[in-house]
Amino acid sequence: MQALQEIINKEMNWDDMRLEFGKLLGMTGPVPSAVLKKAIDSEKYASYLISASNNPKYLELMFNMPADVQEDKSNLQVLAKAASSLLKWGKSGFGFAPEEVFEKRFSACVSCEYLREAPDKVVYKLAMSKQTDDRICSACGCVASRKARLRSESCPVRNEKDPSLNRWGEAIAK
């Protein structure tokens, strides 16, 4: 983050700042304006970009990341979300999604930019088992492999091609 701050502090125009930040990330050209603005506004996003330096595929994913980079949820927020999901699951009869539905859902999760490693928080350590993929959805804070398996759950992120659907290809939950 200090490297970005040094670029900002230099007396240069916006386009030169974009070029300098591009060089910092190992690119041959400037970063898009929106990316530089987002990096200046969000220290977390800037650190993700810098950690992706010299990795064009990952940088491309980061450049296309939605503007609302999600911050880690607190233990209390995660517990509240889990309790709500458990209640909803119970009301639905504790049903699991059929295997083909789970596979389709989790496949969408695996290719989503919101999927990431769980933060180092007690609540995630308690919830994880060795048999479970422990990556979480940073849009909602849920363990993606578990959420995709529950019939009562839905993805919170809209499908870019059809906003009436979520990323799982299912109707947006109301």
Side-chain angles (χ1 to χ4, degrees), residues 32-59:
S33 285
V35 169
L36 180 56
K37 181 182 180 332
K38 204 174 352 176
I40 291 169
D41 293 342
S42 170
E43 186 173 331
K44 187 167 195 166
Y45 179 71
S47 68
Y48 287 160
L49 284 172
I50 291 169
S51 68
S53 295
N54 299 309
N55 187 334
K57 287 184 179 183
Y58 191 63
L59 283 172

Side-chain angles (χ1 to χ4, degrees), residues 76-86 88 140-142 147 153:
L76 188 57
Q77 288 172 313
V78 173
L79 285 172
K81 173 73 173 148
S84 173
S85 293
L86 185 59
K88 188 164 93 175
C140 64
C142 294
K147 181 174 187 137
E153 288 297 314

Side-chain angles (χ1 to χ4, degrees), residues 75-140:
N75 283 326
L76 188 57
Q77 288 172 313
V78 173
L79 285 172
K81 173 73 173 148
S84 173
S85 293
L86 185 59
L87 182 62
K88 188 164 93 175
W89 185 45
K91 286 181 179 179
S92 76
F94 296 104
F96 291 100
E99 192 61 29
E100 62 274 3
V101 171
F102 165 74
E103 293 294 332
K104 179 182 175 196
R105 287 175 167 188
F106 193 59
S107 174
C109 292
V110 168
S111 64
C112 183
E113 72 271 13
Y114 284 104
L115 189 69
R116 65 181 186 86
E117 295 301 317
D120 189 24
K121 292 192 177 279
V122 172
V123 70
Y124 287 115
K125 289 179 182 176
L126 293 173
M128 300 300 170
S129 71
K130 291 183 181 181
Q131 295 83 18
T132 304
D133 183 319
D134 63 355
R135 293 176 291 175
I136 66 160
C137 171
S138 62
C140 64

